[in-house]
Amino acid sequence: MSNLPQNNSASSLLAPIQSGLLSGPSDTDYRRQRLQRIGSYSAPIAQNQADDETTALRAVPSSTGYGTLPIVHPRRAYTQSDLLNTGRQLTLPALPLTRNVTVSVPNTPSAFSPTSTRDLRSRISQQRPISAYDAQLVNFNADTADADINVRTNGFRVWYSSFSSIDWLHDAIKDSVRFARLRRGKSIRSRVRLVFDKSLGWIIVTVVGFLTAVVAFLVVRAEQWLFDVKSGYCKTAWWHAQHFCCPLPDEYGSLDDHCSAWRTWSDVFAAWTGSVSGGGESVVQYLAYTIIAVLLASTSSLLTIYLTESTSFITRKESGVLSPHFDKRGEQTASSSSQPKRGVMFYAAGSGIPEIKTILSGFVIHGYLGGRVLFTKALGLALSVSSGLSLGKEGPFVHIASCIGNIVSRYHSKYENNEAKRREILSAACAAGVAVAFGAPIGGTLFSLEEVSYFFPPKVMWRSFFCAMMAAVTLRFLNPFGTGKVVLFQVTYDKDWHAYELVFFILLGVLGGVYGAYFSKLNYRWSRDVRGGTWLKAHPVAEVVLVTLVTTVLCFLNPYARMGGTELVYNLFSECRTGSKNSHFNLCVLDPSKFDHVWPVVRAILVAMIVKGFLTIITFGIKVPAGIFIPTLGVGACAGRIVGIAVQWLQYHYPDSTVFAVCEGDMDCVVPGLYAMVGAAAALSGVTRTTVSLAVIMFELTDTLTYAVPVMLSVLVAKTVADALEPKGIYDLVIELSQLPYLDAKHEYLWSNLSINEVTDRDVDVIRVDRHNTVESLRDQLQLLLSAEQDDGGFPILRPSRDEDGVRLVGYIGASELEHALTVVAEGATEEVRFHTTSTHEDMATSYSSWVEEPNKDDPFDFSVYMDQAPLMIQSNSPLELLHQFFVKLGARYVIVTDTDGDYEGVINKKTWLAFLSELEEKS
């Protein structure tokens, strides 16, 4: 006892778990320090203030990838004797400890006294915590009849670190346990809680839909004003955008009349110098336009880079040992080559849809859906779109809505402590994001189902539709454009389509598919070879400035290229009505029969289409919030408008042709705006590969089903052509470029003659229950996962088989669970850790309940409570398709491989499987 610190010191040492039995994970630095000092006595380590999503890391890992998948090494055949004789490697790579910690060491012997074992067990068992992630499973007030309900979860989980995959099966079982307990209550209070629990999901999606609409309203209003500031300001109210300062005329008015309330910068300069105004195309106007555009774009980029860098996000759920900063000796050492190669990402950059798809598939990225990213994404989006860059705000609305859904849902433990349940809310939020982007709640629901969601049962579909409806209705009342429309480019047509036009609609589908395929190819190669392979990689702000300068040079002189994305799409979609003075910026050809009137309009649109297409290739992927929807719709609408004008010209030249006989002499039979809408849908389908949801969005934009066949036909043709030229859409290519571990459930693979042995990982370290496992030795094994690049793995727990010729599986313990358990018992470095080998579920129920009620009687060095005693297993002679369905349909995080006799052979975790599929796809 003389070697032990005093009681107050011991209490201080256990400070992070004094808050109660069900306290959450302690501070990451605290856990790291405790694990580093296993085996040598140190003074109490003061726990830092708990990190949250705004706490910055002190070090930036050097690397190239994001969520990098492990490399699949050639597998060699193992015999059972290899497994029986495997020794434990205890030599650790020298890895740096970059965080500065201060630890005072008292004047006491450093060795841990074995005489303190009894007191140590008593103190730890009294305060041994289970992480808050599974805290709701423990019911302190449960009677004996409820005891068996605690263990239907098959082991307890603590937390998910960043860039790890969730356990769908465990979360589903856990929610069933939670709901079963709620239903067993018979009191009025219990019934009220049950009703509230059933209604909670609906309440959350209502709030999410409302808040999404509010944020979308603020972004749209800010973007409108900032975009118009590049050309001038409103004299009567400087905070008004141009169309609020100069109200739009009715359909039969003229948009080209000068508005006296709007003052251009060239007018300001002329008044200041006393010279004659140079007009809209003056040098002064161009300089003001360029300077303001560069300021807006660079500000957006700086916000994105300095506020949402991936290394600045860490929570208490991060691992204290599975990182390149852990060294068990606590020394500063040189960087190790075994560090995980994970690059720096900027969470607010891009559209966010590829990352949302990955998160919804069961991947964890802490901070990506947090409040800081929400603020930066919304503000940066308004700045980047208003700068005039060839990007849109519709895609990022999905990310913004997902941030809101994540924040709101985490106010209740039902979703906070269950990653799988929270993804149901995120799916509904994605639908709301598309609803506010296009004013299409049905299309948003289908987009969430078709493009982003991984798990979409009927209950989620109903809630998604309700959430999208709430968002669309709220935005309609807020009226962001002052026109009563949810989006600016909602249009209606008076004319119907004719059978002969199907040929031109098919042509537009082919053009959209070709554009989508080659846009995806070119953007991928630009991002990989130019943006990621030159000096631009280290200077993202400089790239944004250069792209903005190129955009202003190419767009300023062309009125359609300079126009805002949504405004351009609206005017291209618009129908030219007879007698209307609104020429939609001269897009309406005054005399379609004369080539001299047709060609200038076609030439201007063609130039705008080429410029927009080129700029979108080099712009998508820069470090600002940016979407792909509007630029793609703009390019497709330009192509469609050109084809429509050409068909209109043909009708005027050959009115008596058999083809145009159905028009019956109506010279307004052809509507170029309809061709623009069909071309826009085809281009967007070619780029994103969406079909059903895109068609429905177009129906909702036009408020009619009259043009269902043209849109559906062009969308299907575009997707078919694009798939033939480039199998992956733009979002899948971004996922591939970023090396995100996304398992595509829709993709089909050719397994040929491959077997499970080709992918089984037999090198993974194991825990043998027939050997002496101490706290220190398990700590060393845990750290070795880093050098094996198994940061999302764990340890199979094995025992010798009865015939002593092989080893049998006892269970599986994840890395996070083992780290949490070791941190609690870090004082007992030489103490033996045990795992139950014969406990049934009922035994575990009794054991766990008794541990909750009488913790002093339980062994703190028994880690069985964290062990998965029934992991998914597959025989080595099973087909690979069956293994694939384990990961796709069951959401498995890992699968244990056994031979035909049931003996253990190896492990296949989700990231290893994804790496194998990636290699398989490259070979094929």
Side-chain angles (χ1 to χ4, degrees):
M1 294 293 292
S2 59
N3 292 335
L4 279 177
Q6 298 299 321
N7 290 338
N8 57 348
S9 299
S11 301
S12 175
L13 185 60
L14 295 171
I17 59 177
Q18 281 187 337
S19 58
L21 179 69
L22 303 178
S23 62
S26 54
D27 175 54
T28 305
D29 281 336
Y30 179 86
R31 293 199 311 271
R32 183 176 299 140
Q33 294 171 41
R34 283 180 65 86
L35 291 172
Q36 284 171 337
R37 284 156 181 80
I38 288 178
S40 61
Y41 172 75
S42 61
I45 303 169
Q47 182 184 2
N48 298 330
Q49 182 68 26
D51 291 346
D52 56 24
E53 293 182 355
T54 63
T55 305
L57 284 172
R58 282 67 154 184
V60 178
S62 58
S63 51
T64 57
Y66 173 47
T68 306
L69 297 178
I71 299 174
V72 178
H73 303 285
R75 309 295 180 190
R76 68 181 181 89
Y78 278 68
T79 64
Q80 291 295 338
S81 59
D82 291 333
L83 292 171
L84 287 170
N85 298 325
T86 298
R88 185 178 292 111
Q89 180 183 359
L90 298 180
T91 303
L92 298 181
L95 299 177
L97 176 66
T98 59
R99 291 175 180 252
N100 296 324
V101 295
T102 303
V103 179
S104 59
V105 180
N107 297 324
T108 55
S110 60
F112 182 82
S113 173
T115 61
S116 65
T117 300
R118 180 176 302 175
D119 289 346
L120 173 64
R121 290 172 183 264
S122 176
R123 284 187 285 110
I124 292 178
S125 61
Q126 288 178 20
Q127 306 187 55
R128 178 182 184 179
I130 296 292
S131 167
Y133 185 71
D134 275 354
Q136 57 184 324
L137 300 176
V138 182
N139 186 356
F140 288 101
N141 299 321
D143 54 24
T144 306
D146 290 335
D148 62 333
I149 208 170
N150 289 320
V151 294
R152 302 301 183 190
T153 56
N154 189 29
F156 288 83
R157 306 292 184 268
V158 287
W159 64 82
Y160 295 120
S161 299
S162 282
F163 312 108
S164 64
S165 55
I166 69 172
D167 192 337
W168 289 91
L169 294 174
H170 173 79
D171 287 353
I173 296 171
K174 182 171 70 171
D175 188 65
S176 69
V177 171
R178 182 196 61 80
F179 189 70
R181 175 174 292 135
L182 283 175
R183 293 192 62 179
R184 295 182 69 168
K186 303 301 182 182
S187 64
I188 296 179
R189 181 180 178 183
S190 297
R191 293 180 179 178
V192 171
R193 290 181 59 188
L194 180 61
V195 171
F196 174 76
D197 184 81
K198 291 181 177 180
S199 307
L200 183 61
W202 296 99
I203 296 172
I204 289 177
V205 297
T206 301
V207 175
V208 170
F210 174 78
L211 293 180
T212 299
V214 171
V215 174
F217 169 79
L218 295 175
V219 170
V220 169
R221 282 293 179 91
E223 179 263 328
Q224 289 175 348
W225 179 74
L226 290 170
F227 187 89
D228 291 337
V229 161
K230 293 183 299 181
S231 61
Y233 70 97
C234 184
K235 292 191 294 184
T236 57
W238 62 267
W239 59 89
H240 279 174
Q242 185 173 6
H243 75 271
F244 286 108
C245 182
C246 307
L248 295 174
D250 59 25
E251 182 60 30
Y252 294 92
S254 174
L255 284 170
D256 301 324
D257 295 337
H258 180 71
C259 176
S260 59
W262 186 258
R263 197 177 190 191
T264 63
W265 297 119
S266 58
D267 293 335
V268 174
F269 182 77
W272 182 56
T273 59
S275 59
V276 179
S277 176
E281 266 62 51
S282 67
V283 175
V284 173
Q285 194 69 18
Y286 172 73
L287 290 177
Y289 179 91
T290 303
I291 292 172
I292 296 175
V294 170
L295 286 175
L296 293 173
S298 58
T299 303
S300 176
S301 180
L302 289 171
L303 287 173
T304 300
I305 291 172
Y306 288 103
L307 291 183
T308 63
E309 188 178 16
S310 58
T311 55
S312 67
F313 291 87
I314 188 172
T315 69
R316 291 178 299 162
K317 296 177 182 179
E318 300 297 341
S319 173
V321 61
L322 297 180
S323 71
H325 313 305
F326 180 82
D327 176 21
K328 66 174 182 177
R329 295 163 298 187
E331 301 172 354
Q332 294 280 358
T333 56
S335 178
S336 171
S337 61
S338 64
Q339 295 179 10
K341 296 181 179 180
R342 183 176 296 146
V344 177
M345 292 295 293
F346 303 98
Y347 288 169
S351 70
I353 291 180
E355 289 80 6
I356 296 297
K357 289 180 63 175
T358 308
I359 290 174
L360 290 179
S361 71
F363 190 51
V364 177
I365 309 178
H366 288 310
Y368 192 81
L369 301 177
R372 187 173 10 138
V373 174
L374 171 61
F375 169 80
T376 308
K377 191 85 173 187
L379 179 58
L381 180 62
L383 294 170
S384 62
V385 174
S386 61
S387 68
L389 290 170
S390 184
L391 46 84
K393 58 181 177 294
E394 282 67 22
F397 277 154
V398 175
H399 187 187
I400 290 174
S402 298
C403 290
I404 295 173
N406 178 66
I407 295 171
V408 173
S409 64
R410 296 183 70 170
Y411 277 95
H412 195 276
S413 61
K414 176 181 178 180
Y415 296 99
E416 160 67 12
N417 296 328
N418 196 311
E419 292 283 350
K421 291 292 293 182
R422 198 187 313 158
R423 276 151 179 76
E424 296 180 3
I425 301 298
L426 297 183
S427 293
C430 290
V434 177
V436 297
F438 295 102
I442 302 176
T445 305
L446 293 176
F447 181 85
S448 179
L449 168 63
E450 180 182 4
E451 185 63 26
V452 296
S453 294
Y454 199 81
F455 178 67
F456 209 79
K459 177 177 63 176
V460 177
M461 178 177 291
W462 303 334
R463 289 179 180 172
S464 298
F465 179 61
F466 184 75
C467 186
M469 182 198 68
M470 283 296 304
V473 170
T474 303
L475 192 62
R476 180 67 178 268
F477 281 117
L478 292 174
N479 195 14
F481 299 101
T483 61
K485 297 179 180 179
V486 178
V487 292
L488 185 61
F489 49 89
Q490 279 182 319
V491 293
T492 56
Y493 303 113
D494 296 333
K495 305 291 182 179
D496 202 348
W497 60 277
H498 305 285
Y500 73 88
E501 293 180 300
L502 291 177
V503 176
F504 301 105
F505 296 150
I506 293 175
L507 174 62
L508 288 174
V510 173
L511 294 176
V514 172
Y515 170 76
Y518 282 98
F519 168 81
S520 300
K521 287 177 180 286
L522 292 174
N523 179 259
Y524 176 82
R525 292 179 181 177
W526 177 273
S527 300
R528 183 191 62 188
D529 301 331
V530 179
R531 182 175 296 122
T534 63
W535 63 273
L536 292 176
K537 180 179 180 181
H539 302 86
V541 179
E543 180 189 12
V544 171
V545 173
L546 289 176
V547 171
T548 307
L549 289 174
V550 172
T551 301
T552 57
V553 170
L554 295 179
C555 293
F556 185 77
L557 297 179
N558 186 291
Y560 306 131
R562 186 173 71 243
M563 200 178 293
T566 53
E567 187 180 4
L568 174 63
V569 172
Y570 167 71
N571 285 289
L572 289 170
F573 280 11
S574 297
E575 180 180 0
C576 297
R577 292 182 170 87
T578 303
S580 173
K581 296 180 181 180
N582 186 356
S583 65
H584 295 285
F585 295 92
N586 297 320
L587 284 172
C588 295
V589 181
L590 298 178
D591 188 356
S593 64
K594 295 182 179 180
F595 185 79
D596 293 342
H597 288 184
V598 171
W599 174 243
V601 177
V602 170
R603 181 180 58 192
I605 297 175
L606 183 63
V607 170
M609 181 184 71
I610 296 174
V611 169
K612 285 284 187 181
F614 167 73
L615 291 176
T616 306
I617 291 174
I618 66 173
T619 302
F620 187 67
I622 61 176
K623 300 303 181 288
V624 296
I628 196 66
F629 284 9
I630 288 299
T632 304
L633 288 175
V635 172
C638 285
R641 189 84 184 193
I642 292 174
V643 173
I645 293 175
V647 175
Q648 190 179 45
W649 181 82
L650 288 174
Q651 186 206 6
Y652 270 80
H653 273 266
Y654 307 100
D656 299 328
S657 172
T658 306
V659 175
F660 299 108
V662 294
C663 293
E664 299 178 350
D666 182 8
M667 303 311 291
D668 293 330
C669 179
V670 178
V671 182
L674 172 60
Y675 286 78
M677 185 191 71
V678 173
L684 189 56
S685 177
V687 170
T688 63
R689 311 301 162 85
T690 52
T691 53
V692 178
S693 60
L694 177 57
V696 173
I697 287 173
M698 289 299 171
F699 302 157
E700 293 184 90
L701 284 178
T702 56
D703 294 329
T704 180
L705 291 176
T706 304
Y707 312 104
V709 173
V711 171
M712 292 169 63
L713 181 63
S714 64
V715 164
L716 290 174
V717 172
K719 176 173 171 54
T720 302
V721 173
D723 285 341
L725 297 175
E726 169 55 56
K728 293 185 177 181
I730 187 64
Y731 296 138
D732 294 325
L733 289 176
V734 171
I735 288 174
E736 178 182 323
L737 188 65
S738 301
Q739 297 185 355
L740 296 173
Y742 175 71
L743 181 59
D744 191 354
K746 304 171 186 175
H747 192 76
E748 296 181 357
Y749 298 91
L750 299 177
W751 309 111
S752 62
N753 59 347
L754 297 175
S755 66
I756 288 181
N757 290 326
E758 302 289 338
V759 68
T760 302
D761 188 357
R762 296 178 173 86
D763 296 327
V764 64
D765 203 0
V766 301
I767 297 175
R768 295 286 300 273
V769 296
D770 58 325
R771 294 178 179 172
H772 188 70
N773 299 295
T774 64
V775 172
E776 184 174 10
S777 67
L778 289 181
R779 189 280 310 271
D780 293 343
Q781 286 185 263
L782 180 64
Q783 205 276 334
L784 282 173
L785 284 177
L786 175 63
S787 59
E789 299 181 359
Q790 296 290 339
D791 56 323
D792 194 22
F795 298 94
I797 303 171
L798 308 177
R799 63 171 175 81
S801 59
R802 294 182 180 179
D803 55 11
E804 301 294 336
D805 290 334
V807 287
R808 292 296 180 99
L809 184 74
V810 175
Y812 187 93
I813 186 169
S816 297
E817 285 72 42
L818 183 58
E819 177 184 332
H820 179 73
L822 290 174
T823 303
V824 174
V825 297
E827 290 177 298
T830 59
E831 289 294 314
E832 182 178 5
V833 174
R834 285 167 291 281
F835 298 90
H836 287 310
T837 59
T838 58
S839 295
T840 63
H841 285 293
E842 288 73 14
D843 294 334
M844 283 292 292
T846 305
S847 173
Y848 186 77
S849 299
S850 62
W851 170 71
V852 171
E853 297 170 2
E854 301 178 81
N856 286 327
K857 294 184 178 180
D858 194 59
D859 184 359
F861 295 94
D862 181 4
F863 290 178
S864 302
V865 69
Y866 299 106
M867 183 175 64
D868 181 357
Q869 297 197 55
L872 287 177
M873 293 189 288
I874 191 171
Q875 287 190 178
S876 57
N877 61 349
S878 300
L880 282 176
E881 180 62 30
L882 177 60
L883 176 62
H884 185 61
Q885 296 304 319
F886 273 26
F887 288 106
V888 170
K889 299 292 177 61
L890 297 180
R893 194 180 185 188
Y894 48 82
V895 177
I896 307 297
V897 180
T898 65
D899 61 16
T900 54
D901 295 327
D903 289 332
Y904 168 85
E905 283 200 356
V907 180
I908 303 173
N909 62 40
K910 191 173 184 178
K911 283 189 176 181
T912 302
W913 180 244
L914 284 167
F916 172 76
L917 293 180
S918 179
E919 285 193 358
L920 181 64
E921 195 171 1
E922 290 180 2
K923 292 178 181 178
S924 60

